């Protein structure tokens, strides 16, 4: 594991110990607005409308997030636009790398002191950003580190988009060795339940997929929204007619166990949630991804594999098995490899396409379900902030 120096991205870097303030939404940012709204905002500041496109080209086209680097703007204009449209939303507290530099986790402090994390993962053929949609999470899944902290607040559209633009900039700098320099995929598998922050997540998806300079120009198919299974929001997503990939965190094929592992199941049952997922697949023609964290002696029995196989047989679905990442203080552990292999074998025998997810970022607590910035104590955070100052 490598602790990377925190590089200041704007003049208003933290100069004090992070303090916990009342959670509040951040100021407006360019990435909250579509191009038409940016033009209106720029005009409201007494600037010609073309500045909206100029700013957008810097931010979305060239991945420049700091107005000071936009040297083709007259300095007075630059200061005004920076204050009004490019406020600092994310302040890096700590960056860590592992997997020989192919995985990097960034811990961010938001304007109100809330902490969230993003992970960048490089592969030979692609680079993926794993982003947070909320600070904390209200879904309370007992095996998930973020689920243990409760919800602090929703992230704004720009707080979500800015994580991706930052990570795209890291990729473009060639920092992810052995991977292409272009960030191509985004997964909403960081902190939070994306469908519980529905309008902002959808707006962020639109911003990420609109061609530059209005947006980042990613393909909708390369964006994955992962959910615990909030059925009404899944149905709303079907109506959006987007072609993003839907991942459903199932983790158990029976209501008895799922009620415990994914407490929202007490409201929307396995049959109902799978129906919504299958309808999404039918509407979009895109295979849904069924996420299943294998937990030793909890959900890894052969009969559960067979039941899952029966539920998914003949459906447009793929099972993504995740070896459980034990979280601190948890009584649960990953399933032994032979048990995992038997689970895979049974699913495949039932005709269900199944893969086991690789476990990136474990060493830096950056793997699935391990993002738990809120667990940082005040003392710990102060230490980190002090380090960050030294690094400057
Ligand atoms: N709230 C969303 C997205 C966040 S987590 C959701 O639940 O889908 C992304 C995935 O990591 C989910 O499938 C989640 O269930 C899984 N996950 C959470 N904690 C985990 C852990 N400790 N080990 C393995 N996977 C975990």
């Amino acid at each position: 594991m490598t602790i990377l120096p925190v590089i200041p991205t704007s003049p208003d870097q933290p100069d004090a110990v992070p303090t916990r303030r009342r959670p509040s939404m951040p100021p407006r940012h360019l990435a909250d607005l579509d191009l038409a709204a940016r033009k209106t905002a720029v005009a409201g500041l007494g600037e010609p409308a073309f500045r909206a496109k100029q700013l957008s080209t810097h931010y979305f086209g060239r991945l420049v997030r700091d107005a000071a680097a936009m040297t083709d703007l007259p300095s007075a204009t630059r200061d005004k636009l920076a204050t009004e449209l490019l406020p600092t939303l994310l302040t890096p507290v700590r960056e860590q790398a592992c997997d020989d530099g192919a995985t990097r986790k960034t811990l961010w402090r938001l304007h109100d002191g809330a902490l969230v994390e993003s992970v960048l993962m490089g592969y030979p053929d692609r680079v993926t950003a794993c982003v947070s949609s909320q600070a904390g999470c209200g879904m309370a899944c007992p095996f998930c580190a973020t689920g243990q902290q409760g919800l602090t607040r929703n992230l704004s559209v720009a707080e979500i988009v800015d994580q991706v633009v930052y990570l795209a900039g890291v990729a473009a700098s060639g920092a992810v060795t052995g991977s292409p320099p272009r960030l191509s995929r985004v997964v909403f598998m960081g902190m939070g339940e994306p469908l519980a922050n529905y309008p902002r997540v959808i707006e962020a998806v639109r911003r990420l997929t609109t061609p530059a300079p209005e947006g980042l120009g990613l393909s909708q198919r390369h964006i994955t929204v992962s959910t615990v299974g909030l059925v009404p929001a899944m149905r709303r997503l079907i109506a959006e007619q987007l072609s993003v990939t839907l991942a459903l965190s199932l983790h158990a094929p029976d209501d008895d166990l799922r009620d415990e592992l994914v407490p929202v199941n007490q409201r929307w049952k396995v049959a109902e949630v799978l129906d919504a997922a299958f309808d999404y697949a039918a509407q979009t023609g895109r295979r849904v991804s069924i996420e299943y964290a294998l937990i030793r002696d909890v959900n890894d029995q052969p009969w559960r594999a067979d039941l899952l196989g029966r539920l998914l047989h003949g459906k447009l679905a793929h099972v993504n098995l995740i070896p459980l990442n034990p979280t601190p203080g948890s009584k649960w552990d990953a399933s032994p490899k032979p048990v995992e292999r038997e689970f895979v074998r049974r699913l495949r025998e039932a005709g269900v396409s199944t893969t086991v997810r690789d476990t990136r970022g474990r060493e830096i607590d950056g793997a699935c379900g391990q993002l738990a910035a809120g667990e940082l104590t005040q003392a710990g955070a102060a230490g980190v902030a002090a380090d960050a100052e030294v690094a400057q």
Side-chain angles (χ1 to χ4, degrees):
M1 170 182 99
T2 321
I3 309 263
L4 304 169
V6 174
I7 300 154
T9 52
S10 78
D12 44 324
Q13 276 287 300
D15 54 6
V17 169
T19 45
R20 282 261 174 211
R21 290 186 288 278
R22 213 156 57 83
S24 64
M25 292 307 270
R28 175 185 74 170
H29 183 282
L30 185 80
D32 287 312
L33 311 174
D34 63 16
L35 194 53
R38 285 173 216 164
K39 286 185 178 151
T40 310
V42 164
L45 297 169
E47 289 290 327
F50 72 83
R51 295 274 183 234
K53 196 164 171 200
Q54 209 174 358
L55 273 186
S56 304
T57 300
H58 274 298
Y59 184 82
F60 286 105
R62 304 197 187 112
L63 312 173
V64 173
R65 297 160 64 246
D66 179 2
M70 302 178 182
T71 46
D72 57 339
L73 291 165
S75 69
T77 303
R78 199 159 67 207
D79 291 350
K80 185 162 53 173
L81 294 179
T83 311
E84 296 296 329
L85 287 170
L86 292 167
T88 300
L89 300 177
L90 310 174
T91 302
V93 175
R94 185 177 57 194
E95 293 220 308
Q96 290 168 278
C98 71
D99 303 325
D100 284 332
T103 307
R104 304 162 67 102
K105 182 175 77 163
T106 309
L107 170 65
W108 302 107
R109 186 159 52 80
L110 309 181
H111 83 110
D112 57 353
L115 298 166
V116 297
E117 292 173 295
S118 327
V119 186
L120 186 63
M121 293 166 289
Y123 301 87
D125 62 330
R126 63 184 193 280
V127 180
T128 301
C130 176
V131 296
S132 296
S133 55
Q134 298 182 309
C137 183
M139 298 298 124
C141 303
F143 57 90
C144 173
T146 313
Q148 303 316 295
Q149 15 169 314
L151 178 66
T152 302
R153 70 165 167 89
N154 286 324
L155 299 196
S156 70
V157 175
E159 283 174 323
I160 297 170
V161 172
D162 203 36
Q163 294 173 61
V164 181
V165 172
Y166 168 80
L167 294 175
V170 171
S173 75
V176 192
T177 27
S179 296
R182 191 171 181 276
L183 180 107
S184 54
R185 288 172 198 254
V186 174
V187 296
F188 282 86
M189 294 189 181
M191 299 169 83
E193 165 53 40
L195 295 190
N197 186 13
Y198 189 91
R200 294 181 194 87
V201 165
I202 297 301
E203 184 76 10
V205 167
R206 295 196 190 284
R207 206 71 77 238
L208 296 175
T209 56
T210 305
E214 180 163 3
L216 204 56
L218 298 175
S219 151
Q220 285 186 10
R221 287 177 290 115
H222 289 170
I223 301 214
T224 300
V225 174
S226 182
T227 180
V228 287
L230 305 181
V231 169
M234 290 167 78
R235 300 241 163 249
R236 242 174 116 183
L237 188 62
I238 294 173
E240 304 281 349
Q241 309 230 337
L242 293 168
S243 48
V244 296
T245 300
L246 181 70
L248 170 64
S249 297
L250 194 67
H251 304 311
D254 53 305
D255 286 319
D256 271 356
L257 181 57
R258 195 166 191 268
D259 280 352
E260 186 190 348
L261 294 182
V262 186
V264 82
N265 194 72
Q266 294 162 25
R267 177 74 177 78
W268 294 288
K269 298 293 175 192
V270 170
E272 211 180 337
V273 96
L274 281 177
D275 260 358
F278 298 152
D279 286 351
Y280 185 86
Q283 160 76 38
T284 57
R286 301 197 51 72
R287 210 162 68 156
V288 288
S289 182
I290 304 296
E291 310 294 298
Y292 199 107
L294 274 178
I295 314 176
R296 182 201 286 257
D297 298 333
V298 173
N299 65 354
D300 61 357
Q301 302 81 359
W303 74 264
R304 284 202 160 92
D306 294 342
L307 175 55
L308 185 61
R310 285 197 297 281
L311 293 175
L312 300 182
H313 177 78
K315 304 292 187 185
L316 204 51
H318 170 91
V319 175
N320 201 356
L321 295 173
I322 317 170
L324 182 84
N325 292 311
T327 56
S330 161
K331 54 185 175 185
W332 286 319
D333 204 352
S335 303
K337 282 293 157 194
V339 172
E340 179 185 290
R341 276 196 292 274
E342 179 62 8
F343 207 91
V344 173
R345 194 189 67 73
R346 283 175 182 261
L347 281 171
R348 288 189 179 151
E349 201 174 68
V352 177
S353 114
T354 305
T355 47
V356 178
R357 183 184 293 177
D358 84 322
T359 51
R360 282 301 184 87
R362 287 200 156 194
E363 220 191 313
I364 51 173
D365 290 345
C368 322
Q370 283 187 324
L371 303 182
E375 285 183 7
L376 229 81
T377 60
Q378 275 305 326
V384 168
D387 289 345
E389 278 177 89
V390 171
Q392 289 172 45

